[in-house]
Amino acid sequence: MRVTVSRKAHFNAAHRLHRADWDEAQNAAIFGKCANEHYHGHNYELIVHVTGTIDPETGYVIDMKVLRDLIKSEVEDALDHKNLNIQVPEFKSLIPTAENIVVVIYNKLKSHLNTDQDLEVELYETPRNFVKYTGP
Ligand code: NI
């Protein structure tokens, strides 16, 4: 019997979508306003789902406090109120699209879960634009 435990979280961050090896015209054509050299911000909403078996002793799949603290230390502390391009090492050479951000978040959380716990991460960049990653 496998049950999914979910928790929502939130962070604000700035980014810019841009390739240094493209000229400004190509960056503008592909990334549009998101290529703006002065950056822009998003209110990111995150939903983390952990699926696993119920521990018969505790009745938990994962302790919600553990999940909350993990999201805080791995995601919020690392990304909240940051300029993703400049301040977050993972994006030094990776464009901080929603797609790449959700993979980075997944990888940061996954390494702290038990191997029998499945992880799914949803990331809302705007209320209407969101991505989901469930692993490779
Ligand atoms: Ni953006």
Side-chain angles (χ1 to χ4, degrees):
M1 186 166 56
R2 293 176 71 77
V3 175
T4 300
V5 172
S6 303
R7 183 168 169 90
K8 292 182 176 176
H10 171 85
F11 60 93
N12 300 318
H15 75 167
R16 176 191 189 200
L17 307 184
H18 175 265
R19 291 194 66 93
D21 57 337
W22 288 357
D23 64 24
E24 289 312 308
Q26 191 171 6
N27 273 294
I30 298 298
F31 297 125
K33 286 194 286 190
C34 286
N36 177 1
E37 65 175 310
H38 299 295
Y39 301 91
H40 62 276
H42 291 283
N43 297 315
Y44 290 96
E45 297 287 344
L46 183 68
I47 309 176
V48 176
H49 307 275
V50 177
T51 301
T53 54
I54 300 174
D55 182 323
E57 241 178 1
T58 61
Y60 290 162
V61 169
I62 183 171
D63 186 332
M64 285 279 195
K65 296 187 296 298
V66 170
L67 184 57
R68 178 196 65 196
D69 292 348
L70 188 59
I71 293 170
K72 180 177 187 316
S73 62
E74 293 299 317
V75 182
E76 294 169 4
D77 290 352
L79 305 182
D80 190 35
H81 284 74
K82 297 287 174 64
N83 179 314
L84 300 180
N85 303 72
I86 293 174
Q87 296 179 278
V88 179
E90 285 86 349
F91 299 112
K92 288 276 189 247
S93 58
L94 184 66
I95 302 173
T97 56
E99 292 89 329
N100 283 331
I101 298 168
V102 80
V103 172
V104 165
I105 291 171
Y106 176 97
N107 289 335
K108 287 165 78 72
L109 295 174
K110 182 68 173 158
S111 59
H112 295 275
L113 298 176
N114 297 335
T115 51
D116 68 331
Q117 290 172 324
D118 292 325
L119 177 63
E120 178 178 316
V121 180
E122 293 179 83
L123 180 69
Y124 284 72
E125 192 169 73
T126 74
R128 291 179 182 171
N129 294 340
F130 53 100
V131 295
K132 180 172 79 169
Y133 186 53
T134 56

